[in-house]
Amino acid sequence: NWPNDNKGFMKDLNNSEDDVYITPMLELTTPVDFKIVAVHGEKCLEVNNASIEENATINQKTFSGGDNQKWRVISIGLGYYKIIAKHSEKCLTVKNDSNNTIFVVQCNYTGADSQFWSLEVIESGKYYLVSKQYKKYLTVKNASIENGAGINLDNRTAMSYQQWFIQPIGNTVPP
């Protein structure tokens, strides 16, 4: 039998033992892991050698299921996202060196524009990833289809080496 208090979280609505009124107290969200796959060569974005180091390089490789190839895509609002490597909890980040060469690495999250990305929809599940800071597109260097090819930014070419599938991993439904 249910408690007979006629108030609170288990209110008897019609003098029946079958009715229960439940007040939701907490909404739980489950993080969804994604693989980010270059359209042209079907290789996944990954942190090189599964490094957990600051400024570890990002490249592409055939999907093996490693956590260094799994990403969390988290909205920060206003159409921008931070993209977090599952294995290191570090953020996909754009850097430049003293020669003004732009490259993509993982870094601790700082909230800088170099860590924010917009996702321009091409069609369902296929996107351009655009750096907020540089307004340039995530690109596989030299349009390579080889494992280990580097990732950088470039002006939009509309070619498939700048297009990315963002696919949930496992039996999860994206939020």
Side-chain angles (χ1 to χ4, degrees):
N1 287 337
W2 293 105
N4 189 17
D5 66 359
N6 259 350
K7 58 187 175 187
F9 299 113
M10 295 187 291
K11 184 175 182 181
D12 187 1
L13 299 177
N14 62 4
N15 295 322
S16 160
E17 292 183 10
D18 296 331
D19 295 328
V20 177
Y21 176 78
I22 298 175
T23 303
M25 300 291 286
L26 176 66
E27 181 179 323
L28 299 176
T29 57
T30 303
V32 176
D33 296 330
F34 294 92
K35 59 182 175 178
I36 301 174
V37 182
V39 170
H40 79 296
E42 298 184 359
K43 302 280 193 298
C44 293
L45 204 62
E46 72 161 20
V47 179
N48 192 33
N49 294 321
S51 175
I52 59 170
E53 298 299 317
E54 188 81 354
N55 295 312
T57 58
I58 307 299
N59 59 19
Q60 72 171 5
K61 196 169 186 180
T62 302
F63 186 70
S64 65
D67 284 350
N68 65 316
Q69 295 179 322
K70 296 176 183 175
W71 302 87
R72 299 216 168 114
V73 180
I74 301 167
S75 174
I76 60 153
L78 301 174
Y80 290 101
Y81 298 83
K82 59 182 178 179
I83 301 175
I84 306 293
K86 181 177 182 179
H87 78 294
S88 66
E89 295 294 319
K90 290 186 177 359
C91 196
L92 190 67
T93 304
V94 181
K95 291 275 192 145
N96 63 357
D97 63 17
S98 59
N99 297 323
N100 277 334
T101 302
I102 296 173
F103 52 100
V104 182
V105 298
Q106 72 171 3
C107 288
N108 289 318
Y109 179 70
T110 64
D113 283 354
S114 61
Q115 296 182 320
F116 299 150
W117 302 85
S118 64
L119 307 179
E120 289 185 10
V121 177
I122 300 166
E123 58 188 53
S124 181
K126 189 191 298 185
Y127 303 88
Y128 293 111
L129 279 72
V130 184
S131 164
K132 181 178 183 183
Q133 180 174 7
Y134 291 96
K135 311 290 188 261
K136 293 188 180 232
Y137 292 71
L138 194 70
T139 302
V140 178
K141 285 183 184 176
N142 302 318
S144 176
I145 59 170
E146 299 300 318
N147 281 327
I151 305 296
N152 63 359
L153 295 182
D154 205 348
N155 294 319
R156 181 175 168 180
T157 64
M159 301 301 290
S160 60
Y161 56 86
Q162 291 184 322
Q163 299 173 3
W164 303 88
F165 294 116
I166 300 179
Q167 303 168 327
I169 297 171
N171 296 325
T172 59
V173 177

